Amino acid sequence: MTGFIRSRPIASAIVAFVLLLILLGSFPIVPETKQAVVVRFGKPVRIYNQYTPGRPVGGLGAGINWRIPFAEQIVWIDKRVQDVDMQRQQVLSTDQRRLEVDAFARYRITNPLLMYIRAGSEEQLREQLRPILGSEVRNELGRVEFASLLTPERQGIMDSVRTSLNKIALQYGVEIIDVRIKRTDLPDGAPLAAAFDRMRTSREQEARSIQAQGAKQAAIIRAQADADASKTYAASFGRDPDFYDFYRAMQSYQTTFVGDGQTKPAPTNIILSPQNDYLKEFTGRSK
């Protein structure tokens, strides 16, 4: 062996370098933040550093491991929380508002073997989750009104989206941690103007309805007041007809000569004879 190395130093160096690569490739180092799926001729055979709920990220499984060189390959899968953005799309709410919605979901790969079988890689997983997220957001927002997205009820809507999305994501070995809406807008141009017109028309109709209801209540109150006044006048006339005549005459004089306090009387001259019955209260005459 020593003679071979001395006689062929270049070949010996190449062989030593290849052996070193094989040795290093046989004992891969699994990072704390990665899960490793060992694949032998396209078939997964074992997993290193798999995520376990409740166990720290840098727990058992990370570090130096082994594989068969050339026969086994390693597929690296992130162990940390990741996110996927939904493509901006239009959603029709129950009050017929077209909304432009941006949303995203945060997830973690909890079953790397199932993820590898169903998706193949993390990038392909995102591409499959993106339309599913858009579909679930569209379905949930289509069941609520636009105003609900501006209230605390929005959190309940997002929880429903997360629950629905999680049922599908579990088929890919993924756990959905959270779903959020980044932005919700009305479409620009004619749809936005039409939405504002509908909102203005709705508020005007509501104002007219409130005004009509107030006028109705005012009419009822006035009618009741007139009825009570008539009863009072009738009772007064029955008890003291002379006082009733005097009181009504004073009211008439006030309205004619002074006004009712709201409108100023017209500058009109009234010429009456002293014997006129209208002035009987001034002269002290009775009927």
Side-chain angles (χ1 to χ4, degrees), residues 10-41:
I10 297 177
S12 299
I14 294 175
V15 171
F17 181 73
V18 172
L19 292 177
L20 180 62
L21 290 180
I22 294 174
L23 181 63
L24 293 177
S26 300
F27 299 97
I29 299 177
V30 180
E32 296 178 350
T33 59
K34 297 290 185 179
Q35 305 175 84
V37 178
V38 181
V39 180
R40 183 184 301 165
F41 301 116

mmCIF file of all heavy atoms in Angstrom, residues 10-41:
data_model
loop_
_atom_site.group_PDB
_atom_site.id
_atom_site.type_symbol
_atom_site.label_atom_id
_atom_site.label_comp_id
_atom_site.label_asym_id
_atom_site.label_seq_id
_atom_site.Cartn_x
_atom_site.Cartn_y
_atom_site.Cartn_z
ATOM 1 N N ILE A 10 -0.868 11.071 -7.203
ATOM 2 C CA ILE A 10 -2.079 11.779 -7.654
ATOM 3 C C ILE A 10 -3.292 10.869 -7.548
ATOM 4 O O ILE A 10 -4.349 11.243 -7.036
ATOM 5 C CB ILE A 10 -1.896 12.289 -9.095
ATOM 6 C CG1 ILE A 10 -0.746 13.314 -9.149
ATOM 7 C CG2 ILE A 10 -3.191 12.921 -9.595
ATOM 8 C CD1 ILE A 10 -0.448 13.824 -10.537
ATOM 9 N N ALA A 11 -3.174 9.650 -8.007
ATOM 10 C CA ALA A 11 -4.287 8.699 -7.937
ATOM 11 C C ALA A 11 -4.643 8.403 -6.486
ATOM 12 O O ALA A 11 -5.823 8.268 -6.124
ATOM 13 C CB ALA A 11 -3.914 7.415 -8.679
ATOM 14 N N SER A 12 -3.600 8.298 -5.670
ATOM 15 C CA SER A 12 -3.860 8.039 -4.251
ATOM 16 C C SER A 12 -4.625 9.197 -3.614
ATOM 17 O O SER A 12 -5.525 8.995 -2.785
ATOM 18 C CB SER A 12 -2.531 7.820 -3.522
ATOM 19 O OG SER A 12 -1.841 6.710 -4.060
ATOM 20 N N ALA A 13 -4.273 10.433 -3.984
ATOM 21 C CA ALA A 13 -4.974 11.596 -3.434
ATOM 22 C C ALA A 13 -6.429 11.625 -3.875
ATOM 23 O O ALA A 13 -7.324 11.947 -3.084
ATOM 24 C CB ALA A 13 -4.266 12.884 -3.871
ATOM 25 N N ILE A 14 -6.650 11.252 -5.138
ATOM 26 C CA ILE A 14 -8.036 11.232 -5.629
ATOM 27 C C ILE A 14 -8.845 10.185 -4.894
ATOM 28 O O ILE A 14 -9.994 10.419 -4.482
ATOM 29 C CB ILE A 14 -8.040 10.974 -7.153
ATOM 30 C CG1 ILE A 14 -7.405 12.156 -7.890
ATOM 31 C CG2 ILE A 14 -9.461 10.737 -7.641
ATOM 32 C CD1 ILE A 14 -7.261 11.932 -9.387
ATOM 33 N N VAL A 15 -8.266 8.982 -4.713
ATOM 34 C CA VAL A 15 -8.975 7.910 -3.991
ATOM 35 C C VAL A 15 -9.257 8.330 -2.554
ATOM 36 O O VAL A 15 -10.364 8.106 -2.020
ATOM 37 C CB VAL A 15 -8.146 6.608 -4.033
ATOM 38 C CG1 VAL A 15 -8.768 5.560 -3.112
ATOM 39 C CG2 VAL A 15 -8.055 6.080 -5.451
ATOM 40 N N ALA A 16 -8.295 8.985 -1.916
ATOM 41 C CA ALA A 16 -8.491 9.427 -0.533
ATOM 42 C C ALA A 16 -9.588 10.482 -0.455
ATOM 43 O O ALA A 16 -10.405 10.481 0.492
ATOM 44 C CB ALA A 16 -7.175 9.988 0.019
ATOM 45 N N PHE A 17 -9.614 11.365 -1.453
ATOM 46 C CA PHE A 17 -10.653 12.412 -1.464
ATOM 47 C C PHE A 17 -12.036 11.805 -1.644
ATOM 48 O O PHE A 17 -12.993 12.208 -0.974
ATOM 49 C CB PHE A 17 -10.338 13.403 -2.590
ATOM 50 C CG PHE A 17 -11.331 14.526 -2.674
ATOM 51 C CD1 PHE A 17 -11.351 15.534 -1.727
ATOM 52 C CD2 PHE A 17 -12.257 14.551 -3.714
ATOM 53 C CE1 PHE A 17 -12.275 16.551 -1.806
ATOM 54 C CE2 PHE A 17 -13.187 15.571 -3.793
ATOM 55 C CZ PHE A 17 -13.200 16.578 -2.847
ATOM 56 N N VAL A 18 -12.157 10.814 -2.530
ATOM 57 C CA VAL A 18 -13.447 10.143 -2.746
ATOM 58 C C VAL A 18 -13.888 9.414 -1.484
ATOM 59 O O VAL A 18 -15.064 9.455 -1.095
ATOM 60 C CB VAL A 18 -13.352 9.181 -3.948
ATOM 61 C CG1 VAL A 18 -14.620 8.332 -4.053
ATOM 62 C CG2 VAL A 18 -13.130 9.957 -5.234
ATOM 63 N N LEU A 19 -12.946 8.717 -0.850
ATOM 64 C CA LEU A 19 -13.282 8.019 0.393
ATOM 65 C C LEU A 19 -13.737 8.990 1.476
ATOM 66 O O LEU A 19 -14.644 8.690 2.259
ATOM 67 C CB LEU A 19 -12.077 7.208 0.875
ATOM 68 C CG LEU A 19 -11.689 6.007 0.003
ATOM 69 C CD1 LEU A 19 -10.430 5.340 0.550
ATOM 70 C CD2 LEU A 19 -12.848 4.990 -0.053
ATOM 71 N N LEU A 20 -13.092 10.163 1.519
ATOM 72 C CA LEU A 20 -13.490 11.181 2.509
ATOM 73 C C LEU A 20 -14.906 11.676 2.224
ATOM 74 O O LEU A 20 -15.696 11.846 3.165
ATOM 75 C CB LEU A 20 -12.493 12.333 2.479
ATOM 76 C CG LEU A 20 -12.781 13.482 3.461
ATOM 77 C CD1 LEU A 20 -12.733 12.980 4.906
ATOM 78 C CD2 LEU A 20 -11.772 14.621 3.273
ATOM 79 N N LEU A 21 -15.229 11.900 0.956
ATOM 80 C CA LEU A 21 -16.586 12.332 0.607
ATOM 81 C C LEU A 21 -17.609 11.274 0.980
ATOM 82 O O LEU A 21 -18.698 11.584 1.489
ATOM 83 C CB LEU A 21 -16.663 12.647 -0.889
ATOM 84 C CG LEU A 21 -15.913 13.903 -1.365
ATOM 85 C CD1 LEU A 21 -16.077 14.070 -2.876
ATOM 86 C CD2 LEU A 21 -16.412 15.145 -0.646
ATOM 87 N N ILE A 22 -17.275 10.015 0.726
ATOM 88 C CA ILE A 22 -18.208 8.928 1.075
ATOM 89 C C ILE A 22 -18.394 8.860 2.586
ATOM 90 O O ILE A 22 -19.511 8.678 3.096
ATOM 91 C CB ILE A 22 -17.685 7.586 0.533
ATOM 92 C CG1 ILE A 22 -17.702 7.594 -1.010
ATOM 93 C CG2 ILE A 22 -18.520 6.426 1.051
ATOM 94 C CD1 ILE A 22 -17.069 6.358 -1.627
ATOM 95 N N LEU A 23 -17.301 9.044 3.304
ATOM 96 C CA LEU A 23 -17.391 9.001 4.762
ATOM 97 C C LEU A 23 -18.225 10.144 5.297
ATOM 98 O O LEU A 23 -19.083 9.943 6.178
ATOM 99 C CB LEU A 23 -15.986 9.049 5.353
ATOM 100 C CG LEU A 23 -15.897 8.978 6.881
ATOM 101 C CD1 LEU A 23 -16.446 7.650 7.374
ATOM 102 C CD2 LEU A 23 -14.451 9.182 7.345
ATOM 103 N N LEU A 24 -17.990 11.337 4.783
ATOM 104 C CA LEU A 24 -18.770 12.487 5.242
ATOM 105 C C LEU A 24 -20.228 12.350 4.831
ATOM 106 O O LEU A 24 -21.139 12.742 5.573
ATOM 107 C CB LEU A 24 -18.180 13.786 4.668
ATOM 108 C CG LEU A 24 -16.792 14.173 5.181
ATOM 109 C CD1 LEU A 24 -16.294 15.431 4.474
ATOM 110 C CD2 LEU A 24 -16.815 14.391 6.690
ATOM 111 N N GLY A 25 -20.496 11.818 3.641
ATOM 112 C CA GLY A 25 -21.871 11.641 3.195
ATOM 113 C C GLY A 25 -22.611 10.563 3.948
ATOM 114 O O GLY A 25 -23.840 10.527 3.951
ATOM 115 N N SER A 26 -21.862 9.650 4.575
ATOM 116 C CA SER A 26 -22.506 8.562 5.320
ATOM 117 C C SER A 26 -23.000 9.008 6.685
ATOM 118 O O SER A 26 -23.835 8.335 7.293
ATOM 119 C CB SER A 26 -21.514 7.404 5.486
ATOM 120 O OG SER A 26 -21.106 6.916 4.224
ATOM 121 N N PHE A 27 -22.471 10.134 7.155
ATOM 122 C CA PHE A 27 -22.855 10.613 8.486
ATOM 123 C C PHE A 27 -23.304 12.080 8.384
ATOM 124 O O PHE A 27 -22.556 12.991 8.761
ATOM 125 C CB PHE A 27 -21.683 10.456 9.464
ATOM 126 C CG PHE A 27 -21.247 9.044 9.647
ATOM 127 C CD1 PHE A 27 -20.161 8.540 8.909
ATOM 128 C CD2 PHE A 27 -21.919 8.207 10.516
ATOM 129 C CE1 PHE A 27 -19.765 7.228 9.069
ATOM 130 C CE2 PHE A 27 -21.513 6.883 10.681
ATOM 131 C CZ PHE A 27 -20.436 6.379 9.949
ATOM 132 N N PRO A 28 -24.494 12.316 7.865
ATOM 133 C CA PRO A 28 -24.970 13.703 7.723
ATOM 134 C C PRO A 28 -25.313 14.307 9.083
ATOM 135 O O PRO A 28 -25.670 13.605 10.034
ATOM 136 C CB PRO A 28 -26.227 13.556 6.865
ATOM 137 C CG PRO A 28 -26.730 12.186 7.180
ATOM 138 C CD PRO A 28 -25.496 11.337 7.386
ATOM 139 N N ILE A 29 -25.185 15.628 9.146
ATOM 140 C CA ILE A 29 -25.529 16.369 10.363
ATOM 141 C C ILE A 29 -26.894 17.010 10.157
ATOM 142 O O ILE A 29 -27.078 17.838 9.257
ATOM 143 C CB ILE A 29 -24.467 17.434 10.679
ATOM 144 C CG1 ILE A 29 -23.110 16.769 10.919
ATOM 145 C CG2 ILE A 29 -24.886 18.258 11.888
ATOM 146 C CD1 ILE A 29 -21.989 17.756 11.160
ATOM 147 N N VAL A 30 -27.846 16.613 10.970
ATOM 148 C CA VAL A 30 -29.211 17.132 10.868
ATOM 149 C C VAL A 30 -29.326 18.386 11.730
ATOM 150 O O VAL A 30 -29.138 18.319 12.951
ATOM 151 C CB VAL A 30 -30.237 16.085 11.323
ATOM 152 C CG1 VAL A 30 -31.658 16.647 11.207
ATOM 153 C CG2 VAL A 30 -30.097 14.815 10.503
ATOM 154 N N PRO A 31 -29.620 19.555 11.124
ATOM 155 C CA PRO A 31 -29.777 20.780 11.927
ATOM 156 C C PRO A 31 -30.972 20.691 12.869
ATOM 157 O O PRO A 31 -31.916 19.904 12.650
ATOM 158 C CB PRO A 31 -29.972 21.870 10.861
ATOM 159 C CG PRO A 31 -29.485 21.283 9.577
ATOM 160 C CD PRO A 31 -29.741 19.801 9.685
ATOM 161 N N GLU A 32 -30.941 21.517 13.894
ATOM 162 C CA GLU A 32 -32.041 21.513 14.867
ATOM 163 C C GLU A 32 -33.358 21.955 14.238
ATOM 164 O O GLU A 32 -34.430 21.553 14.692
ATOM 165 C CB GLU A 32 -31.688 22.432 16.040
ATOM 166 C CG GLU A 32 -30.482 21.981 16.842
ATOM 167 C CD GLU A 32 -30.152 22.940 17.964
ATOM 168 O OE1 GLU A 32 -30.755 24.044 17.975
ATOM 169 O OE2 GLU A 32 -29.327 22.603 18.821
ATOM 170 N N THR A 33 -33.281 22.813 13.213
ATOM 171 C CA THR A 33 -34.496 23.386 12.625
ATOM 172 C C THR A 33 -35.019 22.576 11.440
ATOM 173 O O THR A 33 -35.969 23.003 10.789
ATOM 174 C CB THR A 33 -34.225 24.820 12.151
ATOM 175 O OG1 THR A 33 -33.166 24.815 11.188
ATOM 176 C CG2 THR A 33 -33.841 25.694 13.328
ATOM 177 N N LYS A 34 -34.396 21.411 11.146
ATOM 178 C CA LYS A 34 -34.790 20.625 9.992
ATOM 179 C C LYS A 34 -35.243 19.231 10.399
ATOM 180 O O LYS A 34 -34.800 18.673 11.402
ATOM 181 C CB LYS A 34 -33.623 20.498 9.000
ATOM 182 C CG LYS A 34 -33.153 21.810 8.388
ATOM 183 C CD LYS A 34 -34.183 22.374 7.422
ATOM 184 C CE LYS A 34 -33.659 23.620 6.737
ATOM 185 N NZ LYS A 34 -34.630 24.187 5.775
ATOM 186 N N GLN A 35 -36.143 18.680 9.591
ATOM 187 C CA GLN A 35 -36.519 17.277 9.663
ATOM 188 C C GLN A 35 -35.956 16.588 8.418
ATOM 189 O O GLN A 35 -35.995 17.157 7.328
ATOM 190 C CB GLN A 35 -38.036 17.107 9.710
ATOM 191 C CG GLN A 35 -38.693 17.883 10.844
ATOM 192 C CD GLN A 35 -40.213 17.796 10.817
ATOM 193 O OE1 GLN A 35 -40.795 16.849 11.320
ATOM 194 N NE2 GLN A 35 -40.838 18.790 10.223
ATOM 195 N N ALA A 36 -35.446 15.396 8.579
ATOM 196 C CA ALA A 36 -34.801 14.692 7.470
ATOM 197 C C ALA A 36 -35.570 13.412 7.153
ATOM 198 O O ALA A 36 -35.756 12.557 8.026
ATOM 199 C CB ALA A 36 -33.351 14.364 7.803
ATOM 200 N N VAL A 37 -36.026 13.314 5.904
ATOM 201 C CA VAL A 37 -36.660 12.091 5.417
ATOM 202 C C VAL A 37 -35.643 11.370 4.547
ATOM 203 O O VAL A 37 -35.205 11.886 3.506
ATOM 204 C CB VAL A 37 -37.936 12.401 4.605
ATOM 205 C CG1 VAL A 37 -38.557 11.112 4.070
ATOM 206 C CG2 VAL A 37 -38.944 13.158 5.470
ATOM 207 N N VAL A 38 -35.228 10.185 4.977
ATOM 208 C CA VAL A 38 -34.243 9.400 4.234
ATOM 209 C C VAL A 38 -34.981 8.557 3.204
ATOM 210 O O VAL A 38 -35.867 7.759 3.547
ATOM 211 C CB VAL A 38 -33.417 8.508 5.180
ATOM 212 C CG1 VAL A 38 -32.378 7.705 4.392
ATOM 213 C CG2 VAL A 38 -32.740 9.359 6.256
ATOM 214 N N VAL A 39 -34.608 8.748 1.927
ATOM 215 C CA VAL A 39 -35.289 8.083 0.810
ATOM 216 C C VAL A 39 -34.304 7.143 0.133
ATOM 217 O O VAL A 39 -33.199 7.557 -0.269
ATOM 218 C CB VAL A 39 -35.819 9.119 -0.205
ATOM 219 C CG1 VAL A 39 -36.525 8.418 -1.346
ATOM 220 C CG2 VAL A 39 -36.747 10.100 0.490
ATOM 221 N N ARG A 40 -34.685 5.875 0.023
ATOM 222 C CA ARG A 40 -33.851 4.872 -0.637
ATOM 223 C C ARG A 40 -34.492 4.463 -1.951
ATOM 224 O O ARG A 40 -35.559 3.854 -1.969
ATOM 225 C CB ARG A 40 -33.683 3.656 0.264
ATOM 226 C CG ARG A 40 -32.763 2.569 -0.310
ATOM 227 C CD ARG A 40 -32.736 1.374 0.611
ATOM 228 N NE ARG A 40 -32.271 1.750 1.951
ATOM 229 C CZ ARG A 40 -32.438 0.956 3.025
ATOM 230 N NH1 ARG A 40 -33.056 -0.218 2.907
ATOM 231 N NH2 ARG A 40 -31.997 1.366 4.207
ATOM 232 N N PHE A 41 -33.871 4.874 -3.042
ATOM 233 C CA PHE A 41 -34.377 4.601 -4.388
ATOM 234 C C PHE A 41 -35.833 5.058 -4.539
ATOM 235 O O PHE A 41 -36.677 4.351 -5.090
ATOM 236 C CB PHE A 41 -34.257 3.118 -4.725
ATOM 237 C CG PHE A 41 -32.856 2.597 -4.659
ATOM 238 C CD1 PHE A 41 -32.508 1.624 -3.718
ATOM 239 C CD2 PHE A 41 -31.868 3.089 -5.498
ATOM 240 C CE1 PHE A 41 -31.223 1.140 -3.642
ATOM 241 C CE2 PHE A 41 -30.557 2.609 -5.430
ATOM 242 C CZ PHE A 41 -30.229 1.634 -4.497
#
